[in-house]
Amino acid sequence: MVERQSGVALWRQIADRMRLAINNGDFDETGMMPPEMTLAARFGVNRHTVRSAMAALAEEGIVRPIQGIGTRIERRDRLRFPISKRTRFSQGLGNQARDIENTMLEAATEVAPSIVAEALGLPIGTLCVRMETVNSADKRPISCATHYFPADRFGKIGGVFEQTRSVTAAFQALGVSDYVRRSTEISAIHAEGEVIRHLKLSPGAIILVATAINTDLAGTPIQFSRTRFAADRVKLTVEPEA
Amino acid sequence: MVERQSGVALWRQIADRMRLAINNGDFDETGMMPPEMTLAARFGVNRHTVRSAMAALAEEGIVRPIQGIGTRIERRDRLRFPISKRTRFSQGLGNQARDIENTMLEAATEVAPSIVAEALGLPIGTLCVRMETVNSADKRPISCATHYFPADRFGKIGGVFEQTRSVTAAFQALGVSDYVRRSTEISAIHAEGEVIRHLKLSPGAIILVATAINTDLAGTPIQFSRTRFAADRVKLTVEPEA
DNA sequence: TCCAAATGTCTATTAATCTAGACAACCGAA
DNA sequence: TTCGGTTGTCTAGATTAATAGACATTTGGA
């Protein structure tokens, strides 16, 4: 059921599980959460503890309590984000959202960190453009990403991206008509720091981290990116064929 | 830094971050953790709080404190688990571990849950074999999985698996010489219940959930599986080509 | 041998979390 | 209108988590 003395407060465990159940469509028949007393009994905790969990979900806009009636489910969705040989952010979400927005927070030319240099096959000390973006669907932040591009070929990509609002379009404007994904690594950690603010997460939420390398059609690495997804808003889908 | 009143205890946040840093090789030069007082200052907490985090890591066997000396790092590893068109558990880990073991906990023939029936393209009410396995590398549990197979073709797969200790080998024994992955979905949740025991996790740890469908070469779905990975022990690697 | 630096243990206090119970406020239906 | 079921609010107490400080113990090196 719920685990005590785990370092994770009961209300947070319960909030996580209810969010999951809602996204899973468990209460779709009624569109309402079970009564607080029922949930308290089900999880083996006090009603007040359930209320704390509910308050967290209400804060996220997932449920809305109505006195005298019950607690209504306002939103249940977890976007499907496909990862494939031709992963593109906006295209990937396709028609799952009407309004997809990529915002650039920052672009700077810096010496490439050693991990990035290695990934892109550059000598230590090479300059790279680092670009920070936040990606939203229907005004809801889905992920934030840090991208690195070799500065010699893509020194101006920051400015171009601000025009095009798309990495794919920026690449095209800079002469890269197409590109493919060489590798993607996925791990999961607790959200912290800046990411919490950018993704409007409640602290302690889980984020999926996807670290990827893209190459041009000649096989030359042109992009290293680390994308942090709010785990309760997406599921990553691995597409086997190109 | 660390987030207060997030429903996640400070010692757990710190333990999570230190585990990540260790796996990231941050302290490889000395092989020792920084002194407790240094960490306390770095995280902005009391020394005792750092000690609680350390105790959790020591419990997991990741560090070992030595009075008068410091805290030694005992183990730093996160296996790379590739996900591709031909994902195979044991092969995938390859030479990252000497001893890879698949244990079957249970096999039962049941009516397929609706999600499984849909995924495998079976009529509602069809019988399936459900099989629970735990997968370990070098005696350390890495993942536990629930597999479903259509009962008409694979009714005996439980017994065969116990002999072969491999899904791939069991398939071959039952006439499926090769199979490919149709789809993989990845999400992340907090560990709870049975999974904590099977994977020997500290409660509250993060698990990566990979839900996959495999088909035979004719394209007929033959396996639905949900694999739960201990997030601090693996990183999933998405391979773009077959 | 002595000292500096590190972990180990203890007490005490404060803050956060969880439990328990009572009752108010609100809604829909009988 | 009344009543059962629901959420909202309050008080009080128990348990867990975090802070603070003191001092013991162990180790390696000066």
Side-chain angles (χ1 to χ4, degrees), chain A residues 4 9-11 45-49 67-69:
Chain A
R4 288 163 194 262
L10 295 182
W11 65 264
V45 301
N46 191 273
R47 177 181 160 227
H48 294 295
T49 308
Q67 188 170 358
I69 306 284

Side-chain angles (χ1 to χ4, degrees), chain A residues 86-149:
Chain A
R86 301 190 77 261
T87 296
R88 270 89 177 120
F89 187 84
S90 311
Q91 269 186 29
L93 293 178
N95 52 12
Q96 296 178 74
R98 263 170 294 119
D99 167 30
I100 292 170
E101 195 177 13
N102 299 318
T103 312
M104 193 180 88
L105 301 176
E106 189 188 352
T109 303
E110 306 174 344
V111 172
S114 58
I115 292 180
V116 174
E118 189 185 346
L120 295 180
L122 302 172
I124 301 290
T126 311
L127 285 178
C128 271
V129 175
R130 176 176 57 81
M131 191 167 86
E132 308 281 343
T133 64
V134 173
N135 318 106
S136 304
D138 292 331
K139 303 295 180 198
R140 191 146 159 269
I142 299 302
S143 62
C144 61
T146 306
H147 308 272
Y148 289 91
F149 308 92

Side-chain angles (χ1 to χ4, degrees), chain A residues 22 26-35 54 63-66 68-74 76:
Chain A
I22 291 168
D26 283 9
F27 311 119
D28 278 5
E29 296 160 22
T30 61
M32 302 286 285
M33 297 299 291
M54 285 291 203
V63 301
R64 185 160 61 90
I66 307 168
I69 306 284
T71 303
R72 176 172 301 156
I73 294 166
E74 291 281 284
R76 60 180 111 18

Side-chain angles (χ1 to χ4, degrees), chain A residues 121-197:
Chain A
L122 302 172
I124 301 290
T126 311
L127 285 178
C128 271
V129 175
R130 176 176 57 81
M131 191 167 86
E132 308 281 343
T133 64
V134 173
N135 318 106
S136 304
D138 292 331
K139 303 295 180 198
R140 191 146 159 269
I142 299 302
S143 62
C144 61
T146 306
H147 308 272
Y148 289 91
F149 308 92
D152 56 348
R153 283 178 76 182
F154 305 106
K156 294 188 178 17
I157 199 166
V160 178
F161 183 89
E162 267 198 310
Q163 302 292 318
T164 60
R165 297 299 182 109
S166 150
V167 170
T168 304
F171 271 146
Q172 283 176 346
L174 293 171
V176 178
S177 61
D178 197 6
Y179 62 99
V180 297
R181 181 150 295 197
R182 166 178 290 178
S183 66
T184 310
E185 288 182 355
I186 299 162
S187 58
I189 58 174
H190 284 122
E192 62 186 27
E194 293 276 282
V195 176
I196 290 179
R197 219 182 60 242

Side-chain angles (χ1 to χ4, degrees), chain B residues 87-174:
Chain B
T87 296
R88 305 308 183 240
F89 187 84
S90 310
Q91 269 186 28
L93 294 178
N95 51 13
Q96 296 178 74
R98 262 170 293 120
D99 168 30
I100 292 170
E101 195 177 13
N102 300 318
T103 311
M104 193 179 89
L105 300 176
E106 190 187 351
T109 303
E110 306 175 344
V111 173
S114 57
I115 292 180
V116 174
E118 190 185 345
L120 296 180
L122 301 172
I124 302 290
T126 311
L127 286 178
C128 272
V129 175
R130 176 176 58 80
M131 189 167 88
E132 308 282 344
T133 63
V134 173
N135 318 106
S136 305
D138 292 332
K139 304 296 180 197
R140 192 147 160 265
I142 299 303
S143 63
C144 60
T146 305
H147 308 272
Y148 289 90
F149 308 91
D152 56 348
R153 283 178 76 182
F154 304 106
K156 294 190 179 14
I157 198 165
V160 178
F161 182 89
E162 268 199 310
Q163 301 293 319
T164 61
R165 297 299 182 109
S166 150
V167 171
T168 304
F171 271 147
Q172 284 177 347
L174 292 170

